[in-house]
Amino acid sequence: MQIQLEDQMVTLHVQYGKRKKLSVTVDGSDLITVKAPKGTSEETILGAVASIGPRILEQLRRNAAARKVPEAKRYEGEEVYLYLGREVALHELITVQEKNAEELKLALKKFYMSSLKKIIAERITRYQIQLRVKPKSIEIVESRTKWGSCSFDGKLTFNYRLAMAPPEVIDYVIIHELCHLLHMNHDRSFWRRLGSVMPDYKEKEAYLARQGQFMTL
């Protein structure tokens, strides 16, 4: 089964079974699966898919972005790097004179770590008050897989690469981890509490999913 979503024709893999509701999923290989109750008409399926067309296309765009390989950094004075969501020349972030590529990379990482530590310290207080929580400690770390984490004993960690993200995206990760002090898993209560502080949090999640691969050294 196929459907036109904006300017793109997509193929739907429909599975009928004993279920009450229709669901649509898009996996990392762009496979769009529709699970529908037995006897569901094609018109109903196409209508349901069309109603969430923008979400499907956004996921397809994320998949395409994830498959792109970021260009290797050269670590030259005029090369630009992300800082708080903007592209900034390396020499505007750190001192570049008399440093080789490896030294520049190390200096830039230290800059991001120290900057994020200050940014987190400045921005977390308002959300602590709003959520009525207080972390035991806050640490800036290097991680390949997580933007932030919360331990069972109340210790928060944040990935130094967040310094490359816009301030509102940093706020999202701060709020996300603070909410884990109230709800350790991602149940409905967690997302409801997060949404009460940042209603548009899904936009920030989408940014990290789309741009995260480029926020790297």
Side-chain angles (χ1 to χ4, degrees):
M1 191 180 299
Q2 292 187 312
I3 185 174
Q4 183 85 24
L5 298 178
E6 294 182 5
D7 59 348
Q8 187 172 347
M9 181 67 72
V10 300
T11 299
L12 309 176
H13 296 263
V14 183
Q15 300 174 358
Y16 297 96
K18 293 182 179 180
R19 53 189 299 120
K20 295 181 179 180
K21 295 181 179 181
L22 184 149
S23 68
V24 183
T25 59
V26 183
D27 68 13
S29 64
D30 294 348
L31 178 68
I32 304 172
T33 302
V34 180
K35 294 182 179 180
K38 287 183 178 179
T40 304
S41 67
E42 180 174 328
E43 181 181 5
T44 297
I45 291 173
L46 294 177
V49 173
S51 69
I52 60 170
R55 286 168 50 193
I56 293 174
L57 292 175
E58 174 60 23
Q59 184 59 55
L60 293 176
R61 283 191 285 268
R62 290 185 198 172
N63 290 349
R67 289 190 286 267
K68 291 182 180 179
V69 179
E71 295 182 7
K73 303 292 186 179
R74 297 190 303 274
Y75 295 99
E76 299 172 352
E78 296 302 320
E79 190 173 21
V80 296
Y81 291 81
L82 286 172
Y83 180 58
L84 297 181
R86 300 179 294 109
E87 290 188 335
V88 183
L90 181 60
H91 73 268
E92 295 181 35
L93 299 176
I94 60 173
T95 301
V96 299
Q97 287 84 2
E98 300 180 359
K99 288 186 176 69
N100 60 35
E102 193 60 33
E103 291 170 334
L104 288 172
K105 182 177 181 179
L106 180 59
L108 185 57
K109 181 183 292 187
K110 288 181 178 179
F111 167 79
Y112 282 135
M113 296 191 83
S114 62
S115 293
L116 185 64
K117 185 176 182 178
K118 293 177 183 177
I119 293 166
I120 296 291
E122 291 170 355
R123 304 180 78 86
I124 198 170
T125 303
R126 59 177 290 200
Y127 299 118
Q128 287 181 193
I129 295 172
Q130 194 168 351
L131 290 164
R132 297 181 182 179
V133 296
K134 186 175 181 179
K136 184 175 181 180
S137 65
I138 299 171
E139 186 179 3
I140 309 303
V141 300
E142 180 175 3
S143 173
R144 296 179 63 86
T145 59
K146 294 182 178 181
W147 295 109
S149 67
C150 174
S151 68
F152 281 97
D153 58 354
K155 297 178 181 178
L156 304 188
T157 64
F158 296 95
N159 192 329
Y160 80 89
R161 294 189 292 124
L162 274 175
M164 304 178 195
E168 62 270 20
V169 175
I170 298 175
D171 283 353
Y172 160 69
V173 180
I174 291 173
I175 297 167
H176 186 116
E177 301 311 328
L178 286 176
C179 283
H180 275 314
L181 294 174
L182 300 169
H183 308 280
M184 281 306 295
N185 54 20
H186 291 107
D187 59 11
R188 289 184 179 180
S189 297
F190 170 85
W191 294 112
R192 191 180 302 116
R193 193 69 184 96
L194 195 159
S196 70
V197 180
M198 180 175 278
D200 61 347
Y201 71 87
K202 289 186 177 180
E203 294 180 11
K204 282 51 177 190
E205 282 189 324
Y207 179 93
L208 289 173
R210 185 174 62 251
Q211 299 296 330
Q213 63 174 326
F214 302 109
M215 294 161 52
T216 182
L217 297 183

